[in-house]
Amino acid sequence: MHIRLKVYFCSSMNLEYFIAKRLHFNGEGHRRMSRPAVRIATLGIAVGLAVMLVAVSIVVGFKQEVSNQIIGFGSHIQVANYGSSNNYETEPIAPSDSILTVLRSLPHVQHVQEVATKPGIVKTEDDFHGVVLKGVNNSFDWHFFKRNLVAGDTLVYNDSVLTNDVLISQAIANLLHLEVGDRFLTYFITDPVRARKFKVRGIYQTTFADYDKLFLITDIRHIQTLNHWDTTQMSQLEILVDDFSKVDEIENTVFRSIANRYDNEGTFYQSRTIKELVPRVFEWLDMLDINAWVILMLMLIVAGFNMISGLLILILERTNTIGMLKAMGAYNWSIRKIFLYQSLFLIGKGMLWGNIIGVSLILVQYFTHVIPLDASMYYVSYVPVSLNILYWFLLNVGTIILSLAMLILPSYLITRIMPASAIRFD
């Protein structure tokens, strides 16, 4: 007796799904479902989801690409002299080994490197150009510049021998007509004016033109000598982290580690994130999130209204069926569930095609970079896209939930259909 009741209960729980599947997938249902309005509803879901996938992929990819360019030149977090401003003529710090050990042991900190900066003027026989020399030592992480190297090689730091080699950008090389192996003079505004002769060891090229025209990478000991610093002094420590989304939280940890501590020269520290050092660029990138949300909302609204019109047509087509089900004692909610299941089939079909179209477009752009951009305007030479499984999953789940939620209220129309008039309805 208990077994029979259990089977009946399970069957009743699946009855709406069973009826919806029969109505949708049998021959008559297929003919009815192929009507233009329902096709348009399915197409609306497909196009909406495809646009949302592409839009989110582009926004995330664009933010990542531009952020990586800036971070490659300046790191995620900088620790500098408390009195230093945002210019490249800095006051020195001389961090102790204990400070360096503490910073390198902090959670999420991948790398800590010592750098020094100094403005100068590069002079060739025909041209001159203002630059900033960034001095590095054997602690420097070369991954970013190796990834963007177009000629020559990166610097090799020797503890015992000062090198005159420099790494310059393609923009500076073009401007001053320099190639790998060429030598040039750089003048520094000191009292008296000083000059250094450098040799081009390598040429890099990024899409961040503002920095490409600015930085030369060289041995840190040149800046230390020009500034009359000893070998323990530098402009700042650059900290690279493993998760940019947590950079503010990590910077707070760095600040707590260096607060109320001073270096070997009695100088206090300050720490700043790259977002604080280059606020205008990151404010601009944050505005892209607003654009993405606007696109998502518009596409969801359009897809939702398309599905509402499709559901109403399904109900009108099946008015006789609704009347018969009510005459046999079916509850309104059970009948509404039948049509919500049918709508779910349509949403699923639309989402399948939306995923195929959207992911295909993303993959084509990811591997071919077929859509270009003006790097001088957008900091990237092509439309960057991001292949992020989490965003893909959330967009799909969100589309299903919101689409079905928008259909619950229109399905209330079923409760207004009377069995007697519905059975006579043609």
Side-chain angles (χ1 to χ4, degrees), residues 156-164 219 221-222:
V156 176
Y157 185 87
N158 190 313
D159 288 332
S160 58
V161 180
L162 175 65
T163 177
N164 291 322
D219 192 319
R221 287 169 290 193
H222 286 294

Side-chain angles (χ1 to χ4, degrees), residues 64-78:
Q64 288 178 346
E65 189 67 24
V66 175
S67 298
N68 289 340
Q69 297 284 343
I70 301 174
I71 292 164
F73 285 103
S75 75
H76 296 96
I77 302 170
Q78 292 184 9

Side-chain angles (χ1 to χ4, degrees), residues 141-178:
D141 185 345
W142 288 103
H143 285 92
F144 173 75
F145 288 99
K146 285 183 177 179
R147 189 169 64 247
N148 292 282
L149 200 67
V150 295
D153 201 357
T154 55
L155 307 186
V156 176
Y157 185 87
N158 190 313
D159 288 332
S160 58
V161 180
L162 175 65
T163 177
N164 291 322
D165 291 342
V166 295
L167 188 67
I168 68 173
S169 70
Q170 186 68 64
I172 294 176
N174 293 339
L175 184 64
L176 301 177
H177 310 291
L178 295 172

Side-chain angles (χ1 to χ4, degrees), residues 19-26 29-30 33 318 321 338 342:
I19 296 174
K21 188 168 66 171
R22 290 294 298 271
L23 291 175
H24 184 81
F25 291 108
N26 66 14
H30 185 272
M33 294 300 136
R318 294 293 181 178
T321 304
I338 293 172
Q342 282 191 276

Side-chain angles (χ1 to χ4, degrees), residues 118-267:
K118 190 170 185 65
I121 299 175
V122 173
K123 178 71 173 67
T124 62
E125 293 183 0
D126 303 315
D127 298 287
F128 64 91
H129 181 65
V131 297
V132 171
L133 263 71
K134 182 171 184 175
V136 302
N137 58 17
N138 55 6
S139 69
F140 192 71
D141 185 345
W142 288 103
H143 285 92
F144 173 75
F145 288 99
K146 285 183 177 179
R147 189 169 64 247
N148 292 282
L149 200 67
V150 295
D153 201 357
T154 55
L155 307 186
V156 176
Y157 185 87
N158 190 313
D159 288 332
S160 58
V161 180
L162 175 65
T163 177
N164 291 322
D165 291 342
V166 295
L167 188 67
I168 68 173
S169 70
Q170 186 68 64
I172 294 176
N174 293 339
L175 184 64
L176 301 177
H177 310 291
L178 295 172
E179 298 178 353
V180 174
D182 289 348
R183 299 176 186 274
F184 60 89
L185 285 170
T186 302
Y187 294 89
F188 301 92
I189 309 303
T190 59
D191 189 14
V193 174
R194 296 186 180 183
R196 291 289 187 275
K197 179 174 280 190
F198 294 108
K199 177 183 176 182
V200 179
R201 178 176 175 86
I203 299 175
Y204 69 89
Q205 182 177 24
T206 72
T207 54
F208 208 88
D210 293 347
Y211 286 171
D212 271 10
K213 295 178 181 178
L214 190 63
F215 282 104
L216 274 66
I217 314 300
T218 188
D219 192 319
I220 192 174
R221 287 169 290 193
H222 286 294
I223 289 90
Q224 290 171 335
T225 302
L226 289 165
N227 287 340
H228 304 290
W229 296 348
D230 62 41
T231 56
T232 66
Q233 293 179 299
M234 64 203 70
S235 294
Q236 68 256 347
L237 293 171
E238 293 185 341
I239 301 175
L240 300 172
V241 304
D242 59 10
D243 189 350
F244 182 62
S245 64
K246 298 180 180 178
V247 68
D248 293 321
E249 174 187 337
I250 300 169
E251 190 273 332
N252 288 332
T253 305
V254 170
F255 175 76
R256 288 194 296 269
S257 301
I258 61 175
N260 301 320
R261 299 184 68 168
Y262 50 85
D263 66 8
N264 294 334
E265 304 296 326
T267 301

Side-chain angles (χ1 to χ4, degrees), residues 94-104 114 232 261 264 269:
S96 63
D97 291 339
S98 62
I99 287 289
L100 293 173
T101 301
V102 168
L103 292 177
R104 289 181 175 126
E114 306 161 11
T232 66
R261 299 184 68 168
N264 294 334
Y269 302 103

